[in-house]
Amino acid sequence: MPRTTIDRLIINSPYEEPKKHWRYDRETRAFELAEGRRPAGYVVATPGSKSFDDPGIFVEIPLVNQIRPRVKAWREAGYPGATSITKWLLKHWRDPKAFDSRRFFFCQLEAVETLIWLTEAPDADRVGIDIPGDGGAFLRRCCKMATGTGKTVVMAMAIAWHILNKVANPQDARFSKNVLVVAPGLTVKKRLAVLEPAGAGNYYEAFDIVPSDLLDKLRQGKVLIRNWHALAWESEAQIKKRRSVDKRGAKRDEAYTREVLGEMANAHSLLVINDEAHHAWRVNWEAEGKYLRQRDLKDSAEEATVWIGGLDRLHRSRGILTCYDFSATPFTPSGKKSSEESLFGWIVSDFGLNDAIESGLVKTPRVVVRDDAVPDAKTYKSRLYHIYNDPEVKDDLNRQANPEEPLPDLVLNAYYLLGYDWQETLKAWREAGLRTLPVMITVCNRTETAARVKHAFDSRRIRIEELCDPERILHIDSKVLDEAEEKEEVNIVGSGQWIADGDEEAASEEAQPSTRHSSLTAAQKAELLRQTVDTVGKAGQPGEKIQNVISVGMLSEGWDAKTVTHIMGLRAFTSQLLCEQVVGRGLRRTSYEVNPETGLFEPEYVNIFGVPFTFLPHESTAGGPPPPPTPKTAVEPDPAKAEFEIRWPNVVRIERVFQPRLTLDWSKVRPLELDAAQTAQVAELAPILEGKPDVTRIERIELERLAKEFRTQRIIFETARDVFDQMKHTWQGSREVLLAQLVRIVEQFIRSDRISISPPLFYQDELGRRLIITLNMSRVVQHLWEAVQQENTEKLVPVFDRDHPIRSTGGMRPWYTGKPCERTRRSHINVCVYDSTWEASDAFVLDDSDAVAAWVKNDHLGFEVFYVYRGVVRKYRPDFLVRLANGDMLVLETKGQDTEQDKVKRHYLDEWCQAVNTHGEFGRWRWAVAHRPGEIRDILMQNQEARAGS
C-alpha cells in the first residue's frame, strides 16, 4: 500500500538482485513499495506537464527485459554451454569464501554474465533475441550502468574472460586476446591503466578477478588503452589546407592502423571496449544541419565522427570481433528536436540510477522542491529548481560581463542557501574527524559567468567565509583542461596547485597561486590543472585542499571525487542526458561499509540547486502517420541586395568618465522596492526516487542567522565596495577619495526611506530589513550605481566586442519560419517576417519611403542593448534599424502603451546612441518610437529634416 512517509530509501542489498522498488502514485502523491525488480526502462515527461510530481511516461527497454530472465535461468541452471574456463571464472567471482576480502556487486556480475550469455549460451536459449546494430559493419553490445556502480571492474572481467578462453583454445573464433580500450580523455585513460594485466595495481590482482595461477596466461593477451583523440586522421581536405610543403596524401587504412595500434598492429579480430560510450555514436547526417547550428552538438558530432570513423578503419584493416560499450547515459541526439535523445538500440543490460539509489551504490540526489518565495509563474516550481531559466537570470548570464559585475540576486540567494548547508556539512565532517573536506561544484554556462562566480567568492560577495578562501577554490579553464585531456601521455610537472582563470593574462593577474609555477610551459600548466582536477578530495594530492570547484560546461568524465556534497547548476539543462551527466559528477559514495544489522548501505546525499533533475525529454507517441510539415520560408541575406547591407557597432557595455566630486539629488533618486515574497529565506530539498521528489523526507535550509552576522555598517561598506568595483576602472582621480564618497552616499541611502520593503509590518524590524537587503544586494548595488552614474557622468565610452566589434545584416545565419512574411525591396534580408499587422504596415512604409535608403527588421540579427531594470540586467531588442537617405542611422521601435520598463529601455538606448556618436566612427545614430500605426511616416520625415536643419 502507498506510504505517506518512507523510513528507508535503500531497500536492496548491492550484492543481490533487487527484490523491491519504490513506485510513485500520482493520485495519492505517495510512494508504494512494490515487490519485484523494476523493469528496465526510463521515464519521459508527460507532454505539457508543469508539475514537479509529473508521473511521466515509462519507456521500456524491451530487449533488456527479454534478456534478463533468460540470463537468470541460465545462471540457476549452472551456465550450460559455457566453456570450462568461463564456468571456472563465474564460480570464482561468486565464491562465498572470498566475500570477506572482496565481493562483487550484483550489477557487475549481471552485466558480465549477460555478455557471456550472448556469446556462449546454447542457441536455443537465445531464440528470438534480435539485437540491432548502429548501422556500421561491426557488432556492438552496450551495458548501461549508473555512475558509481563499478563498470571498470566489469571491463576487467570481460577482458579476462576473453583472453583466458582464447589462450586456452586459440581456434575458438568467439574470443580475442587482443583488446583495444578507447577512453574519452587523458584522465579516464590513466584510470583505465588498471586494465593492463602487467600494470601496477591492476584490477585482476587487486580484486582477485583472475587467481594467481592464471595470471601468466592472462598476460599472454594484449590490452592497449588509447585516448579517442589518437583515432583522429587528416582528411584530404585538411591536407590541402596545410601551410607545410609536406603535401603527402591521407594515410591509407594500413598505415593508419599501424600508427594507432603500435605494438598490437599485427593483431586481428580485436575486442574493442568503449568507455563513456555515449560519445561514440554514428552521426545521423540527415540531422547535419542541426549539429552545425548547435555548438554542443557540433563538438559532440565531430568527436563521434572521429571515434566511430577510426573504429571503422580498424575494422576494415584488422576486423573488430565485438565492441562492448559502457555508459551511464547511452543516449545519442535523435536528429529530431534539439532537446531529444534516443537510447542506444543495442543495450543488453541495464542497472540505472534508480536501481543504484535503491541499492545504496550511489548518493541520493536531493533537489529543491519549494521555498518561501513566490514560485515560477509558468511551472509553479521553486525558482531555485532551474535557476538559469529564470527570466531575471538568463539574459544576465548570457552576456560578455566583466568579472566584477554583480551576479543576479536569485543566484546570490541560491549560493547563500546552498553555501550555508555546505557549511553545516563541513562542521559535521570536522566533528567526525574526517581529513577531507566536502566539495561544492558549480557548472556555468560560459567563461564570463564562471569568472563572475569566482570574483564573487574572492571578493566575499557570497559571504560564506570558508568557501571564499582562494587557496581552496579551483576555477577550471575548460579550454586549457580540454587541451590536457587530448594528450595521449602525461607531462610530469610535479605536485602543486594551479588555479586557472581563463587566458594567460587573467591567470597572471588574478590567480595568485599560479605564480609558484610561472616557469612552467603552457602544456605543463595544463597538465597541472588536470592533475588538480583529478585529485580533488584526495589526501596528499594537488587537489587535496579544494572545496569549491567552478567550471564551465561539463566536468570531464572520470572526475570521480567522492567528496562532492553540493552542486549548483548555472547553465541550460534541456535533456535527461545533461542532467544525469552533471549530477553524476557528485554521486560517488565516500563509504561502502554495510550496516551489519540491515545488511544494507547507509544513505549518503548530494544537494542540488539549479539542475532540474526530474526534467526528462519526450517524443511524440501518437499513432498514425506524422502530420505534414508546416511550409517554411528561408530568411537570409540576399547577395543581390548587398547595397542595402546595414552595419552597426557591437557594443557589449558602456563605460563612463565621472566628474571628480560625486553628488546625488535624493529627490531625483527613484525608491527601491524590495519584495520579501520574491526572496527565498527557507528552501526545502527532497530526495529523488523514480525521478520524482519524495516530499515526505524534506530537509530545510534557513538563513535567519545571516541577518545576525551582518550589521548595518558592514552592509554599507560592502555595498560601497561593490559600486566602487564598477567605477574604479574609469575613475581618473584618487581611488581613496572615490571610496570615501561612495561610503557616504551608500550610508545615506541605506538609512533613508528610499528603500521600501514589503510587506512592511512583517519586515519593519531591523533584523528582517538587514536580511532582505543582504539577499538583494545586487539590486541595491545596481540601483545606486544607476543613480550615481546618471548624475555624475561627464562622458560615455562604448566598449566593443573583442572578437566581433562590428556586425552586419550580411552576417545573419539563415533561419526558417512558418509565420506570414513578404519579400522586401530595400532590405538586405530577403523577406520581412510579420508578428503583427502593425509591423506589416510599417514594413510597407519603410520599403516605400523616399526618406529611407535601407532598413531591416531586427529579427535574429543580434542587435541588442543591455539595460538594468529593478536591479536585473536584461536585453533590449528594438524593432527596426533604418539607414536614412541623408546617411543617418535610426533605431526604430513600435510600441503601443508605454510602461516604466519601456522608459528604462529607451534611456539605455539613448545612452547607447550618445556613446556611439561620441566615438564618431560609426556615423550619426538616432532613436525614435512610433506609438500608433502610421506614425512612422512622420518620424521618418522629422529625422530626415533634422539632419538637413542641423
Side-chain angles (χ1 to χ4, degrees):
M1 60 178 288
R3 303 185 181 197
T4 55
T5 61
I6 294 177
D7 55 351
R8 187 172 189 88
L9 294 169
I10 298 173
I11 50 176
N12 294 311
S13 166
Y15 303 114
E16 299 172 4
E17 182 176 13
K19 296 181 173 64
K20 302 175 182 178
H21 66 277
W22 291 111
R23 187 165 57 201
Y24 184 69
D25 186 332
R26 172 66 184 274
E27 290 186 5
T28 61
R29 300 201 175 194
F31 285 90
E32 178 184 1
L33 187 59
E35 293 295 324
R37 186 176 181 181
R38 173 183 287 100
Y42 59 104
V43 178
V44 298
T46 304
S49 172
K50 293 182 178 180
S51 176
F52 70 79
D53 64 345
D54 168 28
I57 299 168
F58 180 75
V59 179
E60 185 183 358
I61 307 178
L63 180 61
V64 175
N65 289 323
Q66 224 182 337
I67 290 174
R68 271 182 185 173
R70 301 196 193 190
V71 172
K72 182 177 182 178
W74 182 67
R75 179 192 311 131
E76 292 173 347
Y79 306 112
T83 69
S84 57
I85 289 287
T86 300
K87 285 184 178 179
W88 197 96
L89 283 173
L90 290 167
K91 181 181 178 182
H92 176 66
W93 295 337
R94 289 184 175 274
D95 184 3
K97 296 176 183 176
F99 284 176
D100 288 341
S101 57
R102 68 101 174 97
R103 188 176 182 184
F104 298 114
F105 299 140
F106 169 80
C107 62
Q108 293 171 325
L109 292 167
E110 182 183 54
V112 75
E113 283 177 343
T114 301
L115 298 178
I116 294 172
W117 179 83
L118 288 167
T119 304
E120 299 193 47
D123 291 343
D125 288 5
R126 291 180 280 131
V127 170
I129 301 297
D130 184 19
I131 304 173
D134 72 339
F138 57 87
L139 198 70
R140 296 182 73 175
R141 302 287 182 258
C142 179
C143 294
K144 179 173 174 283
M145 299 181 70
T147 299
T149 53
K151 56 184 168 50
T152 308
V153 168
V154 181
M155 294 179 204
M157 290 173 157
I159 290 170
W161 160 57
H162 261 269
I163 292 177
L164 291 176
N165 270 289
K166 190 66 173 177
V167 169
N169 187 357
Q171 305 306 315
D172 195 331
R174 295 175 299 175
F175 304 105
S176 174
K177 65 175 183 177
N178 298 293
V179 185
L180 172 64
V181 183
V182 187
L186 181 55
T187 297
V188 176
K189 179 178 181 289
K190 275 190 63 188
R191 299 263 168 78
L192 295 178
V194 296
L195 298 178
E196 295 172 355
N202 71 79
Y203 273 12
Y204 311 100
E205 294 179 77
F207 287 95
D208 192 23
I209 290 172
V210 175
S212 55
D213 57 335
L214 289 178
L215 284 173
D216 284 342
K217 290 186 177 180
L218 178 70
R219 288 167 185 153
Q220 292 180 37
K222 293 180 180 178
V223 178
L224 176 66
I225 304 165
R226 300 304 303 265
N227 199 338
W228 73 269
H229 304 84
L231 299 177
W233 67 92
E234 279 191 303
S235 66
E236 293 286 359
Q238 289 171 321
I239 290 169
K240 287 178 182 177
K241 293 178 183 178
R242 271 190 202 157
R243 295 183 180 177
S244 166
V245 294
D246 181 3
K247 296 293 183 181
R248 285 176 294 181
K251 288 187 177 74
R252 295 182 180 276
D253 286 348
E254 179 63 28
Y256 170 82
T257 297
R258 292 193 172 279
E259 182 179 284
V260 171
L261 295 184
E263 293 181 0
M264 212 167 73
N266 293 325
H268 287 74
S269 294
L270 305 174
L271 170 64
V272 173
I273 293 178
N274 291 325
D275 194 10
E276 307 296 352
H278 51 270
H279 294 285
W281 45 278
R282 198 168 292 279
V283 172
N284 172 11
W285 290 113
E286 293 179 5
E288 181 181 10
K290 186 182 80 172
Y291 299 146
L292 296 178
R293 287 194 300 273
Q294 298 181 44
R295 186 173 177 179
D296 286 351
L297 272 184
K298 181 181 177 183
D299 293 343
S300 182
E302 288 175 353
E303 177 180 348
T305 301
V306 171
W307 194 320
I308 291 298
L311 294 181
D312 282 340
R313 298 189 72 175
L314 295 178
H315 181 63
R316 287 197 297 268
S317 62
R318 294 295 183 269
I320 292 176
L321 176 66
T322 311
C323 177
Y324 293 150
D325 295 332
F326 291 87
S327 174
T329 52
F331 289 85
T332 70
S334 65
K336 300 177 184 177
K337 296 179 183 177
S338 62
S339 62
E340 291 176 353
E341 295 95 20
S342 57
L343 209 61
F344 282 7
W346 53 96
I347 296 174
V348 295
S349 72
D350 176 29
F351 202 83
L353 185 55
N354 287 321
D355 302 313
I357 291 171
E358 290 168 348
S359 297
L361 289 171
V362 297
K363 294 173 183 169
T364 299
R366 289 194 288 210
V367 299
V368 181
V369 289
R370 58 179 178 247
D371 56 53
D372 62 340
V374 176
D376 182 280
K378 293 181 180 178
T379 64
Y380 302 97
K381 295 176 182 175
S382 163
R383 293 170 68 203
L384 301 173
Y385 182 67
H386 194 178
I387 298 169
Y388 173 85
N389 253 6
D390 192 273
E392 293 190 1
V393 173
K394 192 170 185 177
D395 281 350
D396 195 334
L397 296 189
N398 269 304
R399 61 191 180 95
Q400 292 186 9
N402 285 328
E404 66 272 9
E405 293 188 48
L407 291 164
D409 279 318
L410 182 64
V411 174
L412 293 177
N413 199 173
Y415 270 120
Y416 277 125
L417 288 161
L418 198 63
Y420 261 66
D421 193 60
W422 175 89
Q423 201 172 47
E424 292 301 310
T425 305
L426 177 65
K427 291 177 184 175
W429 283 32
R430 282 175 174 169
E431 289 171 2
L434 297 178
R435 283 186 59 193
T436 52
L437 303 166
V439 174
M440 175 191 289
I441 62 175
T442 299
V443 181
C444 300
N445 64 321
R446 58 190 293 161
T447 304
E448 291 87 351
T449 302
R452 291 167 73 188
V453 171
K454 173 72 159 50
H455 186 271
F457 281 110
D458 285 347
S459 60
R460 286 173 166 73
R461 284 180 180 169
I462 299 168
R463 299 163 182 86
I464 310 293
E465 290 300 320
E466 289 89 345
L467 284 174
C468 295
D469 182 352
E471 289 290 318
R472 298 182 181 276
I473 298 174
L474 180 63
H475 177 192
I476 299 174
D477 184 321
S478 298
K479 183 179 178 182
V480 174
L481 186 60
D482 287 345
E483 289 173 358
E485 287 288 355
E486 289 175 7
K487 305 297 181 187
E488 188 65 15
E489 298 299 334
V490 174
N491 280 322
I492 304 299
V493 296
S495 61
Q497 172 185 334
W498 179 60
I499 310 295
D501 279 294
D503 57 23
E504 293 280 344
E505 290 180 23
S508 63
E509 289 175 10
E510 296 183 21
Q512 307 257 327
S514 67
T515 58
R516 288 177 289 179
H517 303 288
S518 57
S519 61
L520 298 180
T521 66
Q524 288 173 324
K525 287 182 178 179
E527 172 55 23
L528 188 52
L529 172 62
R530 193 197 65 77
Q531 287 183 17
T532 306
V533 173
D534 188 25
T535 57
V536 169
K538 296 180 181 177
Q541 299 292 321
E544 175 184 16
K545 295 181 179 179
I546 299 300
Q547 59 191 24
N548 188 353
V549 177
I550 304 164
S551 73
V552 179
M554 279 286 301
L555 284 163
S556 61
E557 279 99 1
W559 196 76
D560 68 345
K562 298 176 180 179
T563 52
V564 176
T565 55
H566 296 77
I567 298 175
M568 176 72 76
L570 297 178
R571 62 158 292 167
F573 291 94
T574 54
S575 68
Q576 178 186 18
L577 176 63
L578 273 176
C579 293
E580 286 204 24
Q581 284 179 334
V582 170
V583 171
R585 304 285 81 84
L587 290 183
R588 295 185 187 275
R589 293 180 61 95
T590 58
S591 170
Y592 290 87
E593 295 293 323
V594 171
N595 184 323
E597 295 182 4
T598 64
L600 307 176
F601 287 158
E602 290 297 304
E604 296 182 11
Y605 299 97
V606 57
N607 290 348
I608 303 164
F609 278 26
V611 182
F613 192 67
T614 56
F615 172 89
L616 296 170
H618 66 269
E619 297 184 5
S620 173
T621 55
T630 306
K632 301 288 185 182
T633 302
V635 185
E636 58 192 351
D638 185 346
K641 297 196 292 177
E643 63 186 289
F644 301 116
E645 181 182 38
I646 289 179
R647 295 158 65 88
W648 64 91
N650 192 12
V651 179
V652 293
R653 66 180 179 277
I654 294 173
E655 293 186 343
R656 291 162 170 79
V657 177
F658 296 98
Q659 60 191 30
R661 181 168 179 80
L662 301 180
T663 60
L664 210 55
D665 184 346
W666 291 105
S667 64
K668 295 180 181 178
V669 177
R670 292 183 299 107
L672 173 61
E673 297 178 0
L674 301 179
D675 186 354
Q678 300 291 339
T679 306
Q681 300 146 68
V682 177
E684 294 186 340
L685 293 90
I688 294 294
L689 282 172
E690 270 287 294
K692 312 298 176 301
D694 172 19
V695 294
T696 67
R697 295 177 64 87
I698 292 291
E699 180 187 271
R700 288 169 64 92
I701 305 173
E702 300 183 6
L703 290 178
E704 288 180 3
R705 287 181 303 158
L706 185 64
K708 297 175 184 177
E709 294 177 13
F710 282 82
R711 303 294 177 190
T712 301
Q713 200 59 40
R714 184 174 176 184
I715 293 174
I716 290 169
F717 182 78
E718 296 196 1
T719 305
R721 179 204 60 190
D722 290 350
V723 179
F724 172 81
D725 279 347
Q726 298 192 63
M727 293 183 67
K728 64 184 180 183
H729 302 292
T730 54
W731 182 258
Q732 296 180 341
S734 164
R735 290 190 173 186
E736 290 77 9
V737 171
L738 171 61
L739 185 57
Q741 292 185 78
L742 288 174
V743 169
R744 170 179 54 81
I745 290 172
V746 170
E747 183 167 14
Q748 291 174 348
F749 180 65
I750 295 292
R751 298 188 187 280
S752 73
D753 59 358
R754 297 278 90 185
I755 298 180
S756 170
I757 298 177
S758 60
L761 289 178
F762 189 71
Y763 285 100
Q764 62 187 358
D765 68 292
E766 182 62 22
L767 204 64
R769 189 172 188 272
R770 289 206 305 263
L771 178 60
I772 296 303
I773 289 175
T774 300
L775 294 178
N776 286 275
M777 189 63 77
S778 285
R779 287 191 61 189
V780 175
V781 170
Q782 291 285 11
H783 191 84
L784 261 179
W785 164 233
E786 187 180 343
V788 168
Q789 68 190 19
Q790 281 183 12
E791 290 196 36
N792 297 274
T793 298
E794 287 186 346
K795 182 182 177 182
L796 298 171
V797 180
V799 177
F800 306 111
D801 185 286
R802 185 170 53 188
D803 300 319
H804 305 285
I806 298 174
R807 302 190 71 167
S808 76
T809 49
M812 186 188 82
R813 288 185 177 182
W815 57 284
Y816 297 85
T817 183
K819 293 181 179 179
C821 56
E822 289 290 341
R823 297 199 69 81
T824 60
R825 289 190 297 113
R826 294 184 183 175
S827 175
H828 191 195
I829 306 304
N830 62 332
V831 297
C832 179
V833 181
Y834 301 144
D835 292 311
S836 67
T837 54
W838 185 351
E839 279 191 356
S841 170
D842 285 349
F844 175 81
V845 173
L846 290 167
D847 242 0
D848 186 60
S849 174
D850 292 337
V852 175
W855 68 280
V856 67
K857 183 181 176 185
N858 184 26
D859 195 352
H860 288 68
L861 281 184
F863 178 78
E864 299 169 335
V865 177
F866 289 102
Y867 71 102
V868 179
Y869 179 66
R870 294 187 174 176
V872 178
V873 177
R874 306 166 193 263
K875 291 179 181 178
Y876 170 36
R877 301 176 180 91
D879 295 321
F880 297 101
L881 296 180
V882 183
R883 185 168 70 240
L884 298 170
N886 62 19
D888 284 0
M889 290 298 303
L890 177 66
V891 182
L892 183 61
E893 175 79 4
T894 58
K895 179 65 68 173
Q897 212 168 10
D898 250 357
T899 64
E900 179 192 358
Q901 187 171 357
D902 292 325
K903 293 174 183 176
V904 172
K905 288 179 184 178
R906 289 198 289 278
H907 166 75
Y908 279 85
L909 176 58
D910 185 64
E911 286 193 344
W912 188 95
C913 290
Q914 287 183 49
V916 171
N917 290 338
T918 301
H919 186 273
E921 297 294 325
F922 301 98
R924 189 172 178 180
W925 287 74
R926 305 171 182 273
W927 64 271
V929 181
H931 292 286
R932 296 178 301 279
E935 189 180 357
I936 186 174
R937 292 183 186 274
D938 294 337
I939 290 173
L940 293 174
M941 292 306 298
Q942 288 167 7
N943 279 274
Q944 175 80 353
E945 292 167 1
R947 178 62 178 261
S950 61

